[in-house]
Amino acid sequence: MRVLVVGGGGREHTLVWKIAKSPLVDDIFCTPGNGGTEEIANNIEIKAEDIGSLLQFAKKERIDLTVVGPEAPLVNGITDAFKGEELNIFGPSKDAAIIEGSKAFAKKLMKRVGVQQAGFQEFSDAKNAITYLREQHFPIVIKASGLAAGKGVIIANNIDEAEKTVHDIMVNKRFGKAGTIIIIEEFLKGEEVSLLVLTDGEAVLPFLSSQDHKQVYDNDRGPNTGGMGAYAPAPVLNKEEAGKVIDRIILPVLSGLRKEGVSYTGVLYAGLMITDDDTKVLEFNCRFGDPEIQAIMPLCNSDLVEALLMSLNGELKSARIEWNDGSAVCVVLASGGYPVKYEKGKEIEGLESFKGKENVILFHAGTKKENGRLLTAGGRVLGVTGMGSNLKEAIETTYSAVREITFEGMHFRKDIGRKGLVREKSLLSK
Ligand code: AMP
Ligand code: GLY
């Protein structure tokens, strides 16, 4: 088979790395890819958002399967465009990907099917939103309904912050059209966890649970990033609890979509908050999570391509995935200044010693090769994933690998996985 992976971050390197292991696969292309995918795939300089050029490329190169990394092309209909030309593509259609493309849609769908979530109101008028906010308790959460590259959620601690946020989004149009509609929702307290499932619209095949670390500094301080690290599985959502999430959240949502004539094929990512009394949905994404997938995939002992094909063909009910019993931890190495302003083009050193190592994998995100040197080319540069027979061991393996790698300005969180250790202890003492 000839496979195309769309995107160029750590998630896409992970997908390319895993797809390359499939006996079904002969050639892999990655658009645009990065310095890591270059080693196992053919990087092709086409942007992930350029659906027309991607379609042309897939036709010309007789691609048998396209796997889409980022949300934007899915929300903009890449799947419909490929299917229109009878090309096989893994990812939801436009009318299914709206579950990520419109938070207002997702919230109303959850309400219709009775899924637990934060209480909310939707607004398309700034004045009405502010009048409503004046009567609320703080903190409160304000979200741009559309896609805002992960930056569209603001937690306002008082009415002044809230008014400024509404003004910024709706009047100054900070997120453009994505902020035409906003959601104001209840602030939930608890521990966050992600559950990703493959689905063919009816059956689901869950991945291991995982936990992202969105804020830039240790102990969840500082501004949000694209994700500074992840580990899997997350003890806060064990197999039994994940089963409940599937029964009470995932299946009702899929059946609600089906009732409205929408069959969801692809990955469905549920961002969850485990509160003291319940598990509630924070958001749905229509794609693999990044960096979560960098911790999940190294633990997957089955052929991912086979599972993706079964999902595409509506055969997921009889699919199985075997998981490694251990744990994996991914620590993201970021450029100095990220997530605000950062420089690129710094030489990365220390990667050679990892070639052939079984328990450490380097997933590239913002890297590029230039004249034989590996340079930084983005905010998140590398994901270092280490494995172990348990979480503690995986943390140790990962951080001892991190210590070998350097580039000017490099920074990373030192506490990835720590929440999992705390949770394990509290479960043991129960
Ligand atoms: P989302 O894009 O909806 O996942 O939001 C991004 C981040 O904002 C989440 O990962 C949470 O950390 C935080 N967040 C979103 N909604 C809420 C909420 N209702 N209560 C508390 N935190 C939230
Ligand atoms: N890890 C968060 C995301 O993929 O949206």
Side-chain angles (χ1 to χ4, degrees):
M1 277 177 71
R2 291 161 70 75
V3 179
L4 167 64
V5 174
V6 176
R11 164 181 48 211
E12 289 76 21
H13 187 193
T14 311
L15 290 170
V16 165
W17 170 83
K18 185 65 183 161
I19 288 168
K21 294 183 183 300
S22 169
L24 299 169
V25 173
D26 304 303
D27 295 304
I28 312 182
F29 301 85
C30 192
T31 50
N34 59 37
T37 61
E38 188 181 311
E39 288 175 15
I40 32 179
N42 304 292
N43 280 358
I44 309 288
E45 198 48 52
I46 304 176
K47 290 205 171 77
E49 293 75 27
D50 185 356
I51 296 177
S53 303
L54 290 169
L55 184 59
Q56 251 180 6
F57 175 79
K59 280 194 334 198
K60 186 171 118 256
E61 290 294 334
R62 300 182 320 282
I63 298 295
D64 299 298
L65 173 66
T66 298
V67 182
V68 185
E71 61 277 12
L74 292 165
V75 169
N76 291 329
I78 190 171
T79 300
D80 310 68
F82 273 53
K83 289 210 166 134
E85 301 276 351
E86 317 246 307
L87 288 165
N88 242 347
I89 181 165
F90 180 81
S93 58
K94 190 174 179 173
D95 58 2
I98 194 173
I99 202 162
E100 175 165 0
S102 162
K103 289 186 193 288
F105 173 88
K107 301 267 330 171
K108 287 185 279 193
L109 171 67
M110 284 189 270
K111 198 170 174 185
R112 284 199 292 281
V113 300
V115 160
Q116 293 291 336
Q117 60 173 329
F120 73 102
Q121 289 286 329
E122 175 185 337
F123 293 94
S124 53
D125 177 87
K127 255 200 197 141
N128 292 345
I130 288 169
T131 308
Y132 172 80
L133 280 165
R134 291 205 173 121
E135 285 159 18
Q136 302 307 307
H137 296 291
F138 292 87
I140 203 160
V141 185
I142 303 174
K143 300 183 171 182
S145 178
L147 287 189
K151 300 196 171 71
V153 176
I154 289 97
I155 295 169
N157 289 302
N158 51 54
I159 183 68
D160 291 343
E161 280 178 28
E163 282 196 30
K164 192 175 158 293
T165 301
V166 169
H167 197 81
D168 227 25
I169 301 179
M170 301 193 91
V171 182
N172 297 341
K173 306 216 179 302
R174 178 164 151 207
F175 304 118
K177 270 197 204 142
T180 309
I181 292 178
I182 62 165
I183 302 291
I184 299 181
E185 72 177 38
E186 173 197 3
F187 176 80
L188 298 177
K189 250 195 176 149
E191 190 172 337
E192 284 186 59
V193 68
S194 310
L195 186 69
L196 281 68
V197 303
L198 294 183
T199 176
D200 55 14
E202 295 207 24
V204 299
L205 191 57
F207 285 177
L208 294 175
S209 63
S210 55
Q211 191 173 57
D212 189 7
H213 297 65
K214 287 206 170 85
Q215 285 167 291
V216 67
Y217 303 127
D218 287 6
N219 301 314
D220 297 333
R221 285 177 306 112
N224 268 349
T225 67
M228 293 297 287
Y231 63 93
V236 70
L237 195 76
N238 62 22
K239 270 203 180 126
E240 193 191 329
E241 293 299 320
K244 287 188 201 158
V245 169
I246 288 175
D247 291 341
R248 294 177 190 171
I249 293 172
I250 307 282
L251 293 176
V253 160
L254 292 174
S255 113
L257 284 171
R258 273 202 312 277
K259 272 193 202 130
E260 290 161 25
V262 177
S263 175
Y264 190 111
T265 306
V267 183
L268 182 60
Y269 166 135
L272 306 163
M273 185 72 95
I274 313 287
T275 68
D276 282 341
D277 40 45
D278 218 335
T279 297
K280 293 187 171 156
V281 176
L282 288 178
E283 63 162 346
F284 283 113
N285 293 324
C286 63
R287 48 164 177 85
F288 295 100
D290 193 5
E292 287 96 322
I293 202 66
Q294 300 183 50
I296 295 171
M297 264 313 122
L299 297 172
C300 172
N301 292 337
S302 301
D303 183 350
L304 178 69
V305 176
E306 204 177 298
L308 299 184
L309 291 173
M310 288 176 90
S311 145
L312 276 180
N313 297 332
E315 298 164 349
L316 209 57
K317 206 170 158 196
S318 46
R320 294 279 170 275
I321 291 185
E322 301 287 332
W323 297 103
N324 181 312
D325 286 337
S327 290
V329 173
C330 169
V331 172
V332 170
L333 309 183
S335 293
Y338 174 80
V340 189
K341 212 174 143 201
Y342 55 85
E343 289 178 18
K344 300 180 192 173
K346 310 290 179 195
E347 182 160 9
I348 306 166
E349 288 176 293
L351 305 192
E352 306 73 28
S353 56
F354 297 102
K355 283 233 161 78
K357 270 204 178 168
E358 294 239 315
N359 60 348
V360 176
I361 309 159
L362 304 181
F363 292 121
H364 294 222
T367 72
K368 70 169 182 198
K369 288 238 171 86
E370 216 173 79
N371 304 324
R373 296 188 317 156
L374 187 70
L375 306 178
T376 66
R380 290 189 294 171
V381 175
L382 283 166
V384 180
T385 298
M387 282 168 289
S389 57
N390 54 43
L391 180 57
K392 185 166 176 283
E393 213 181 284
I395 292 172
E396 283 163 9
T397 307
T398 307
Y399 280 104
S400 60
V402 165
R403 283 194 288 275
E404 306 276 311
I405 303 169
T406 53
F407 56 85
E408 192 190 315
M410 171 177 124
H411 68 99
F412 57 90
R413 274 180 66 157
K414 320 265 185 319
D415 65 344
I416 306 296
R418 196 182 293 160
K419 261 190 263 174
L421 292 181
V422 171
R423 180 64 62 167
E424 276 178 351
K425 256 198 198 147
S426 83
L427 289 173
L428 274 179
S429 64
K430 267 189 187 159

